[in-house]
Every structure is written in structure tokens, then in C-alpha cells.
Amino acid sequence: MVCRVGKRRLVTLSQGVGEPSRTTPLRIATYGDSTADFYSLTTNLDVSAWNVPFAAGTTQVTRRQEKTLVAGLYGQAFMVADGGVSGETTANMLSRSSAGPGASRRSMEDVIALSPHVVLLRAGINSLTGGASAATVIADLKTIIDTFTAAGIRVVYSGIYGYSGETDTANVRTKLLAVNADLSAYSRAKYRYVDLSGVTQDGTGAYISGISADGMHLGNKGRIAVAKKEA
């Protein structure tokens, strides 16, 4: 499968590792919560070295490469937009669009303006642990997916990786499975769902041993496993 920008033929995140087309330039963005947030900021040097819109006065960028391992599977992959904000729910992600421009906004419009070919969507667990229903999270995720695909951008969503936290565990896992099942069946042009059952979680919603560092987030083993599947 390919996506087209003008007359250029570009690789998508659905082809096998090692295919010749992986040498074709690919612009990748993320969108979501802390699992999508791949840089950290320190007080200012030169903002021109990074593409994400920043407010005046920020900043120096340090890339968290362990969160963008999928880019390492492409010879010409470029991370062009970080749409991850730690702690955010899917409702928070939608509300970014109504905020004023600035370093912390990272709205869908900001990401779209940077013309990525692919958005890696990573979202949902904060909503579920915060008490949101599966139906609410599903609706929010579909709105995000539809916004990006309507702009001609391919979206790759790997579902909610798993949950082995100590709060409301059984309920969160039940909702997690419902979200993943619905989004796996969602049919949209330029949208691909990646099934991680048996990769990060065991089919009950619980993390497989060694995959998560804290029951909420992926450890390095989990990040490598997800990157290989996303690619």
C-alpha cells in the first residue's frame, strides 16, 4: 500500500522490514498521551532546529529515542511532529484545538500543518483509568482518526497496549478490550489498526510479563515489540 503526496510515491507503515521502498523519505508524527511524547524541553536556545510550533522563549529539545523506535526501521524516516502530552485523556486531546497557539498545545491542526505522511496514534488508557466509558473513548478516538485521515494523513493505531495497574483493574481491562475490539473493526481509508494481543497484552488486557515497566507504560522490551508491529 502507498500514500500519495502530489506525484511522489511514499512508503506506509504497513510494509515488511527490509523492503527497498523503506529508503523513500517518510515523515512521521505522533499524537496522544505520554506514550506519544518523544521529546523533552529545557529553557531556551534555538527553536529553529525543531519543527513543532513553540511559543517564544522556549527551548532546547532532547529527543526520547526509545519512544520513536519505529523510525529506526526506515532508512529515510523523519520524526516531524510530537503530538504527545503526558497524562492526557482522549477528551483532552480533542480540546487542544480550542486552545491558543503555543508550545504546549500540540493540536491536531498543529500536527497537520507539518505535513506528516503518517501519524502514530497512542491514546486511551488515561481516559479508562480516569473513569471514562469505553463508548466515550471509542467516539473520541474515531474523531481523531477521522480528522487526520480527512487531511490525507495515514493513521496507525495499535490500540491500548495493556493494563496491569492496581486501580479498578478488572473494569479497566474490560473497557480496554472493548475499545481495542471496536477500533480493530473500524474501516476507514488511510487507517490501519495493529493488533497487539499476544504481543504486549495476553488477551485479557493484562500486560505480558516483562513488557511494561509500571503496569501503565511500556518498558524497552515492549517498545521494541510495538515498533516492529507498527512498521
Side-chain angles (χ1 to χ4, degrees), residues 29 81 107-116 119 147-153:
S107 69
M108 288 182 282
E109 292 78 8
D110 293 332
V111 173
I112 290 169
L114 293 170
S115 304
V119 168
T147 299
F148 284 123
T149 58
I153 300 168

Side-chain angles (χ1 to χ4, degrees), residues 39-123:
Y39 69 76
S40 58
L41 306 177
T42 55
T43 306
N44 174 43
L45 291 181
D46 178 12
V47 301
S48 65
W50 194 250
N51 289 332
V52 177
F54 291 120
T58 61
T59 199
Q60 182 175 355
V61 176
T62 301
R63 177 170 161 181
R64 298 286 304 277
Q65 298 202 34
E66 75 276 11
K67 293 188 179 182
T68 56
L69 293 175
V70 69
L73 300 176
Y74 289 79
Q76 292 293 318
F78 301 95
M79 303 304 300
V80 298
D82 181 339
V85 179
S86 181
E88 283 209 341
T89 64
T90 52
N92 295 146
M93 294 168 204
L94 292 174
S95 68
R96 295 179 200 175
S97 298
S98 61
S104 62
R105 185 173 77 162
R106 307 186 205 180
S107 69
M108 288 182 282
E109 292 78 8
D110 293 332
V111 173
I112 290 169
L114 293 170
S115 304
H117 302 128
V118 179
V119 168
L120 303 178
L121 177 58
R122 298 170 176 173

Side-chain angles (χ1 to χ4, degrees), residues 3-186:
C3 57
R4 296 182 182 277
V5 179
K7 295 183 179 179
R8 293 182 63 185
R9 187 174 182 274
L10 297 158
V11 66
T12 69
L13 290 178
S14 61
Q15 297 177 293
V17 175
E19 291 187 10
S21 55
R22 287 181 179 269
T23 62
T24 305
L26 180 70
R27 296 169 62 84
I28 304 175
T30 60
Y31 199 77
D33 51 33
S34 61
T35 59
D37 188 6
F38 63 85
Y39 69 76
S40 58
L41 306 177
T42 55
T43 306
N44 174 43
L45 291 181
D46 178 12
V47 301
S48 65
W50 194 250
N51 289 332
V52 177
F54 291 120
T58 61
T59 199
Q60 182 175 355
V61 176
T62 301
R63 177 170 161 181
R64 298 286 304 277
Q65 298 202 34
E66 75 276 11
K67 293 188 179 182
T68 56
L69 293 175
V70 69
L73 300 176
Y74 289 79
Q76 292 293 318
F78 301 95
M79 303 304 300
V80 298
D82 181 339
V85 179
S86 181
E88 283 209 341
T89 64
T90 52
N92 295 146
M93 294 168 204
L94 292 174
S95 68
R96 295 179 200 175
S97 298
S98 61
S104 62
R105 185 173 77 162
R106 307 186 205 180
S107 69
M108 288 182 282
E109 292 78 8
D110 293 332
V111 173
I112 290 169
L114 293 170
S115 304
H117 302 128
V118 179
V119 168
L120 303 178
L121 177 58
R122 298 170 176 173
I125 189 60
N126 292 327
S127 301
L128 298 186
T129 58
S133 68
T136 295
V137 175
I138 289 166
D140 289 347
L141 288 170
K142 288 180 177 178
T143 297
I144 294 169
I145 291 165
D146 291 351
T147 299
F148 284 123
T149 58
I153 300 168
R154 186 171 297 279
V155 176
V156 176
Y157 182 54
S158 299
I160 302 173
Y161 300 143
Y163 181 68
S164 292
E166 298 179 356
T167 303
D168 202 18
T169 305
N171 185 40
V172 171
R173 287 178 181 169
T174 296
K175 294 189 291 184
L176 179 158
L177 294 176
V179 171
N180 288 355
D182 193 285
L183 271 294
S184 70
Y186 195 47

Side-chain angles (χ1 to χ4, degrees), residues 17 70 73 223-231:
V17 175
V70 69
L73 300 176
R223 293 186 183 113
I224 292 170
V226 170
K228 290 179 177 178
K229 292 290 286 185
E230 285 179 334

Side-chain angles (χ1 to χ4, degrees), residues 173-206:
R173 287 178 181 169
T174 296
K175 294 189 291 184
L176 179 158
L177 294 176
V179 171
N180 288 355
D182 193 285
L183 271 294
S184 70
Y186 195 47
S187 178
R188 283 291 183 275
K190 295 186 176 293
Y191 167 67
R192 183 169 72 95
Y193 179 84
V194 178
D195 185 4
L196 295 178
S197 181
V199 177
T200 60
Q201 54 98 1
D202 63 7
T204 71

